[in-house]
């Protein structure tokens, strides 16, 4: 399952006559990435696809003023990119080319207020990001949790009417994006729209404390799934390689390796926690498709094979788990696409 609806291409004269542009920004711990996107209002439901016209990336700096400046720099670069200048509408007024800006960011996000709090790795306590960036660029700005933004971007990859290898249409169904990043969390879409819940914590499954080692989590609990399958946790368990999972899986498949036993133990821990997360999503959200993405997911097919092996093992011991057909629901999101920035650009469509 590798089909993608995202097309990266320059704006043509014919396309420019109908294009309306959105800018998406993905705020990360080490970089801030921006994209200039065209997608019509049915992009998440009609399978129209998304056209990425341009992109930019800058290093992320720590500090609240620095984050605002860096995001504003990215937005400004996209507003004045050559691709944007080729796009016009009937009025041919510069600002009317743009519908708005979406920003995906870690931390605790209040999307309605446009405020983000506690971005620990960027030393941000609180930012009124929507108003700050809106004042800087003169465009409407929506701020979204980074995992939710990535969920929208990943969903755009498979397209609202794409069957993703299944015999069903998912455009009017529930879809989950399981982010295997620095932490472990999920974004939930119902009928192509994000589910935020009542307080914005829907999908924080990495903090369900069911992991057998009972390791301490920064959230204050013990045994959170994130303490076993978050990116930082995997590095802690396997510090001899970066990224760790390709090396773990390679050595766990080689009985002659001197690290075989240790690799098998780490594999059982990490893959077990990921499988637990998939189980939890299946029985609480019941998504038709579970998209797998994030930094760890760039391990690719070896990781998917290990996850599927664990799920099939569980099926042998439980008719209930077997009845869920979990392996058939999984979709590996291509790691080459900037799904966080693309989803940020689309986030205004899901408001």
């Amino acid at each position: 399952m590798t089909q993608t609806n995202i097309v990266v291409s320059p704006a043509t004269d014919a396309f420019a006559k109908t294009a309306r542009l959105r800018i998406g920004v993905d705020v990360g711990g080490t970089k801030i990435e921006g994209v200039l996107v065209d997608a019509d209002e049915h992009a998440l439901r009609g399978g129209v696809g998304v056209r990425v016209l341009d992109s930019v990336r800058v290093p992320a700096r720590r500090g609240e003023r620095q984050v605002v400046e860096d995001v504003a720099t990215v937005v400004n670069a996209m507003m004045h990119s050559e691709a944007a200048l080729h796009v016009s509408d009937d009025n041919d007024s510069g600002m009317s080319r743009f519908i708005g800006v979406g920003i995906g960011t870690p931390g605790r996000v209040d999307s309605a207020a446009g405020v983000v709090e506690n971005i620990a790795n960027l030393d941000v306590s609180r930012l009124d990001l929507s108003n700050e960036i809106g004042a800087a660029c003169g465009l409407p700005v929506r701020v979204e949790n980074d995992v939710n933004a990535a969920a929208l971007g990943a969903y755009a990859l498979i397209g609202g009417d794409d069957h993703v290898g299944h015999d069903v249409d998912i455009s009017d169904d529930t879809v989950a994006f399981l982010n295997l990043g620095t932490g472990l969390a999920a974004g939930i879409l119902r009928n192509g729209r994000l589910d935020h819940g009542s307080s914005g914590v829907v999908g924080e499954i990495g903090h369900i404390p069911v992991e057998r080692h009972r390791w301490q989590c920064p959230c204050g609990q013990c045994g959170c799934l994130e303490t076993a399958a978050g990116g930082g946790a995997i590095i802690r368990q396997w510090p001899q390689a970066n990224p760790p999972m390709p090396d773990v899986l390679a050595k766990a498949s080689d009985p002659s390796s001197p690290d075989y036993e240790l690799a098998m133990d780490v594999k059982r821990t990490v893959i077990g926690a990921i499988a637990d997360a998939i189980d939890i999503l299946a029985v609480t959200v019941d998504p038709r498709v579970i998209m797998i993405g994030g930094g760890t997911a760039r391990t690719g097919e070896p990781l998917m094979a290990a996850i599927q092996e664990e799920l099939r093992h569980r099926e042998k011991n439980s008719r209930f788990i077997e009845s869920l057909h979990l392996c058939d629901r999984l979709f590996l999101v291509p790691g080459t696409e900037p799904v966080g920035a693309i989803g940020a650009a689309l986030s205004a469509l899901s408001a």
Side-chain angles (χ1 to χ4, degrees):
M1 295 184 287
T2 58
Q3 181 172 347
T4 173
N5 285 335
I6 293 178
V7 179
V8 180
S9 64
T12 63
D13 291 341
F15 177 70
K17 293 178 181 179
T18 59
R20 296 295 301 274
L21 303 181
R22 297 163 176 84
I23 295 169
V25 181
D26 181 25
V27 178
T30 60
K31 69 180 186 302
I32 298 177
E33 186 168 22
V35 294
L36 179 68
V37 163
D38 176 81
D40 73 15
E41 62 189 22
H42 303 295
L44 290 179
R45 293 180 56 80
V48 176
V50 177
R51 188 183 296 259
V52 178
L53 303 179
D54 204 353
S55 64
V56 66
R57 180 183 296 181
V58 301
R61 296 180 295 158
R62 302 173 74 93
E64 293 174 359
R65 288 301 92 203
Q66 288 83 352
V67 170
V68 171
E69 290 171 4
D70 292 341
V71 172
T73 295
V74 167
V75 172
N76 186 65
M78 292 295 88
M79 290 180 67
H80 296 92
S81 71
E82 184 177 351
L85 296 176
H86 279 90
V87 177
S88 62
D89 64 12
D90 292 338
N91 297 321
D92 198 29
S93 59
M95 295 299 288
S96 64
R97 294 191 293 254
F98 301 96
I99 289 178
V101 176
I103 303 170
T105 175
R108 184 69 180 270
V109 175
D110 182 341
S111 292
V115 173
V116 58
E117 298 178 336
N118 301 322
I119 309 178
N121 56 358
L122 291 177
D123 292 337
V124 170
S125 297
R126 186 182 189 277
L127 273 180
D128 188 350
L129 203 52
S130 178
N131 284 335
E132 293 262 17
I133 300 304
C137 70
L139 293 171
V141 176
R142 179 174 177 83
V143 183
E144 186 58 77
N145 169 270
D146 57 346
V147 175
N148 284 341
L152 285 170
Y155 187 54
L157 276 173
I158 63 179
D161 64 354
D162 192 303
H163 290 208
V164 203
H166 300 265
D167 295 326
V168 291
D169 185 352
I170 63 172
S171 61
D172 293 316
D173 217 318
T174 300
V175 177
F177 173 77
L178 179 59
N179 186 62
L180 307 178
T182 302
L184 178 69
I188 311 299
L189 296 105
R190 303 181 191 276
N191 303 323
R193 303 175 72 87
L194 284 170
D195 181 356
H196 292 93
S198 63
S199 64
V201 298
V202 167
E204 291 288 351
I205 57 174
H207 294 292
I208 296 177
V210 295
E211 209 282 323
R212 61 187 175 89
H213 291 90
R214 310 305 296 171
W215 288 317
Q216 182 75 36
C217 181
C219 79
Q221 300 185 104
C222 293
C224 291
L225 290 176
E226 187 170 296
T227 65
I234 301 173
I235 291 173
R236 173 178 52 79
Q237 296 171 74
W238 196 264
Q240 54 265 53
N242 188 18
M245 280 311 292
D247 194 50
V248 169
L249 295 176
K251 290 179 177 175
S253 65
D254 180 10
S256 67
S257 169
D259 294 326
Y260 173 73
E261 293 296 337
L262 178 59
M264 282 296 296
D265 185 56
V266 173
K267 175 186 174 183
R268 280 190 292 266
T269 297
V270 175
I271 300 301
I274 294 172
D276 286 344
I278 291 169
D279 282 353
I280 290 166
L281 283 172
V283 300
T284 58
V285 180
D286 193 24
R288 182 61 60 90
V289 174
I290 300 174
M291 305 176 289
I292 309 291
T296 299
R298 293 192 181 98
T299 305
E301 291 301 333
L303 179 71
M304 290 295 287
I307 294 170
Q308 291 169 337
E309 178 186 28
E310 172 63 20
L311 293 174
R312 291 193 179 101
H313 174 74
R314 297 183 183 199
E315 289 175 355
K316 292 179 181 178
N317 299 312
S318 170
R319 289 188 177 181
F320 171 66
I321 295 299
E322 182 183 19
S323 73
L324 299 178
H325 304 290
L326 297 179
C327 290
D328 294 337
R329 305 189 193 199
L330 302 183
F331 176 85
L332 180 62
V333 177
T336 56
E337 301 286 358
V339 294
I342 292 168
L346 296 176
S347 64
L349 300 179
S350 68

